[in-house]
Amino acid sequence: IGIFVKLVGDQIPVLTLNFYRVFFAAAILLPLVLYIDKASLKFPQKNTRDILIIGALIATQISLFNYAMTLAPVANVVVFWSVAPFFVFIFSSLFLKERPRPVYILVFLLAIIGIVLAKPVSFTGAEWSPEQLGNVIALSTGIVYAALVTYLRSEGKTETKVDILWFMVAAS
């Protein structure tokens, strides 16, 4: 999607791209849900809060990612977005009370060192360049994605049914 966002440039607004990205995902999932499990088509009213939160996280993550793509090089955005697993490790420890393995802590420290060496932001000028802003937004995209994954993991512990169609509808 990053290359597509770069190629489109300013011709299509980022929010329009985001909408169609999740809308078409929902449209493609609809016939699959009808084929596999028609009962999943009924809106799970007891799960409305989770669906809205997850839909908002999906929409936020996609929006931040695509916006970062308009500002920074694709390679930067992908690298800085890739910190998400390290934030999943932190969020799982804090919110799901999962104990981290020592190797996770070591990997996290190495990732932090890598981010510092990659210099997402340079403090040499008075103002940030669009690339620096894109880098920071890409880092925040990883954090939002980690929150999404952690929330999905917590829901997976209590829910037996997958509501991915409804997540995409809410994100649209």
Side-chain angles (χ1 to χ4, degrees):
I1 191 72
I3 301 295
F4 182 71
V5 170
K6 284 288 191 193
L7 291 173
V8 168
D10 294 338
Q11 295 174 359
I12 301 173
V14 170
L15 291 178
T16 302
L17 289 174
N18 300 344
F19 169 76
Y20 283 114
R21 183 176 176 190
V22 291
F23 176 78
F24 285 132
I28 290 169
L29 285 169
L30 181 61
L32 292 171
V33 168
L34 287 171
Y35 177 73
I36 295 171
D37 181 21
K38 290 182 184 176
S40 293
L41 199 55
K42 185 176 182 234
F43 185 80
Q45 292 183 359
K46 68 176 186 147
N47 206 14
T48 301
R49 185 179 132 253
D50 291 334
I51 288 171
L52 292 175
I53 290 171
I54 291 170
L57 287 169
I58 290 170
T60 302
Q61 188 274 325
I62 289 171
S63 297
L64 289 172
F65 182 83
N66 288 344
Y67 184 58
M69 283 292 177
T70 66
L71 299 171
V74 173
N76 288 20
V77 175
V78 170
V79 166
F80 290 127
W81 171 79
S82 297
V83 301
F86 307 109
F87 285 103
V88 170
F89 145 71
I90 292 171
F91 293 159
S92 295
S93 297
L94 293 174
F95 300 113
L96 303 180
K97 305 300 182 213
E98 294 178 358
R99 297 213 25 117
R101 289 191 251 165
V103 71
Y104 292 168
I105 296 168
L106 177 65
V107 170
F108 180 74
L109 292 174
L110 290 173
I112 295 296
I113 292 168
I115 291 170
V116 170
L117 291 175
K119 294 183 185 177
V121 178
S122 172
F123 295 106
T124 57
E127 293 185 25
W128 285 11
S129 69
E131 181 177 326
Q132 291 173 334
L133 180 59
N135 292 343
V136 171
I137 292 171
L139 279 169
S140 66
T141 299
I143 294 168
V144 172
Y145 187 69
L148 170 65
V149 169
T150 305
Y151 197 90
L152 284 168
R153 288 179 64 200
S154 72
E155 185 183 327
K157 292 179 180 184
T158 59
E159 294 290 322
T160 58
K161 187 175 150 190
V162 176
D163 296 323
I164 190 71
L165 172 66
W166 295 109
F167 298 155
M168 292 299 147
V169 169
S172 293

